[in-house]
Amino acid sequence: MTSPTDSDPLESPAAEIPPEPRGEPIRPLIAESVDTMRVTLAHARRDDAVIGVVPTMGALHEGHLSLMRQARDECDFVVATIFVNPTQFGPNEDFDRYPRTWDADLQHCRDAGVDAIFHPPREVMYPPGFLTTVHVAELTTLWEGRHRPGHFDGVTTVVLKLLNIVQPDIAFFGRKDYQQQLLIRRMCEDLDLPVEIRTCPTVREPDGLAMSSRNRYLTPEQRESALSLSQALRRAEEQIHAGQTDLVQVREAMHAHLQAASGVRIDYATIVDPHTMAELSQSDQPEMVAIIAATVGETRLIDNLPITRP
Ligand code: AMP
């Protein structure tokens, strides 16, 4: 007669996991299928490791690496995901020319101490017959959602899939994509996902330009113009810190600064509530966020700055 632990997989989940290869494992492990990722994680989970995930689209830069380092600090086992998600790009957006720099990304992940990379081909994430979309209401009608219809549905759907595949304890996102991290927090709370969301500060170039995989599209002249985004955000902060409470005037000054730069087309530049992202006209609350989206040449850039009233 077999004991319950021999026959009941729920009683002995470790028995289902194939053995780990002998010797020192090569890091980072690379998984292209959901099954390989799950087996890799099952080994980590058996050791009670705290698992962290850093979802990215690759073309890694210091912004991404700061998330990986934060994950390394807080977690025992760090997974980076690298997947250029087609469903979050609009039909006239840059999916085809989005930078793909696998060799450099792999080296960056190695240097940052990442344990495993989930790097699925498109058909693993969206096999034939795929029909489901995750939609967060309200927040998706504003700002990025209004200017990029369908974008956030693509983001929340792929992030939920990645969270379900990795089942991390903590997931790390950048404040650079302010509205995105807010939506992901909402989704996780609404759908009772057992994961902590960390939002990490925006990493900038020394001259203030927020790091972005798309910065490599900019010519030297366009890069100079792109500085107007972070400058306009800093000006807004200075005005509010100097006692300006009329945020309509702050908004006008942001627009004027952006319009003074050559070749910058503004999608929006304003001050919003940090939780609802509703536009504010008076600084009668302590916390605000200045947000900007603008196209420089052919490159659409976003940036933001949290502002605390003095
Ligand atoms: P992406 O590869 O653009 O999808 O970005 C992957 C993650 O990196 C997202 O959580 C972004 O918010 C974050 N990220 C991108 N740029 C930066 C940055 N400059 N500073 C901090 N986090 C960033």
Side-chain angles (χ1 to χ4, degrees):
M1 201 177 110
T2 55
S3 74
T5 49
D6 289 335
S7 59
D8 184 348
L10 290 178
E11 286 295 312
S12 59
E16 300 291 308
I17 306 166
E20 210 166 12
R22 286 170 173 276
E24 193 60 28
I26 297 161
R27 293 284 191 260
L29 299 153
I30 298 163
E32 295 194 347
S33 74
V34 175
D35 283 350
T36 311
M37 192 69 247
R38 290 216 164 118
V39 168
T40 301
L41 286 159
H43 289 293
R45 257 188 273 278
R46 205 162 45 179
D47 298 335
D48 276 341
V50 174
I51 294 169
V53 70
V54 181
T56 81
M57 297 204 298
L60 301 178
H61 51 68
E62 272 300 315
H64 300 115
L65 301 185
S66 71
L67 305 184
M68 292 174 190
R69 291 191 201 108
Q70 185 63 34
R72 186 69 284 161
D73 279 355
E74 289 193 60
C75 305
D76 302 308
F77 193 90
V78 176
V79 181
T81 73
I82 298 182
F83 178 62
V84 185
N85 175 35
T87 65
Q88 70 188 69
F89 288 78
N92 298 317
E93 294 185 358
D94 57 344
F95 174 71
D96 286 332
R97 71 171 185 135
Y98 195 84
R100 287 150 172 98
T101 58
W102 169 252
D103 291 342
D105 289 352
L106 178 58
Q107 189 58 48
H108 281 311
C109 288
R110 193 174 286 139
D111 294 345
V114 165
D115 295 297
I117 302 175
F118 182 53
H119 181 53
R122 180 182 181 141
E123 58 276 16
V124 163
M125 294 302 275
Y126 302 110
F130 188 93
L131 285 175
T132 303
T133 297
V134 181
H135 176 70
V136 177
E138 290 186 22
L139 266 173
T140 48
T141 63
L142 300 170
W143 316 118
E144 284 304 279
R146 199 149 62 79
H147 286 272
R148 302 184 68 187
H151 166 68
F152 281 133
D153 287 357
V155 169
T156 43
T157 303
V158 82
V159 169
L160 181 58
K161 280 176 69 71
L162 294 171
L163 293 176
N164 280 334
I165 293 164
V166 177
Q167 300 182 14
D169 299 282
I170 314 177
F172 297 80
F173 296 90
R175 189 171 293 132
K176 160 78 166 44
D177 296 274
Y178 189 86
Q179 193 170 1
Q180 172 176 285
Q181 57 84 36
L182 215 54
L183 277 164
I184 289 168
R185 284 175 180 278
R186 183 78 263 153
M187 173 185 77
C188 291
E189 205 172 313
D190 289 354
L191 300 182
D192 306 298
L193 294 194
V195 61
E196 272 180 54
I197 302 298
R198 288 274 188 286
T199 304
C200 303
T202 301
V203 177
R204 298 176 180 282
E205 302 284 358
D207 59 10
L209 182 68
M211 290 197 182
S212 162
S213 303
R214 292 188 168 96
N215 288 351
R216 66 189 76 201
Y217 299 150
L218 300 169
T219 65
E221 296 75 30
Q222 289 167 347
R223 197 191 172 291
E224 196 63 30
S225 294
L227 285 180
S228 62
L229 275 75
S230 55
Q231 289 165 350
L233 295 170
R234 285 283 167 216
R235 295 227 169 156
E237 182 185 51
E238 279 162 23
Q239 286 183 321
I240 292 167
H241 283 176
Q244 175 62 273
T245 56
D246 181 352
L247 299 181
V248 177
Q249 290 208 20
V250 175
R251 183 160 68 240
E252 278 167 12
M254 290 169 77
H255 277 251
H257 188 84
L258 292 164
Q259 275 154 1
S262 143
V264 175
R265 298 191 308 282
I266 305 169
D267 276 352
Y268 56 79
T270 193
I271 314 285
V272 299
D273 178 278
H275 307 292
T276 63
M277 293 199 81
E279 190 165 49
L280 300 172
S281 53
Q282 284 291 321
S283 68
D284 44 18
Q285 56 189 76
E287 306 289 341
M288 294 155 261
V289 189
I291 57 169
I292 294 179
T295 303
V296 182
E298 296 292 299
T299 306
R300 191 169 180 283
L301 301 173
I302 58 171
D303 198 355
N304 70 83
L305 189 66
I307 300 175
T308 304
R309 204 183 55 184

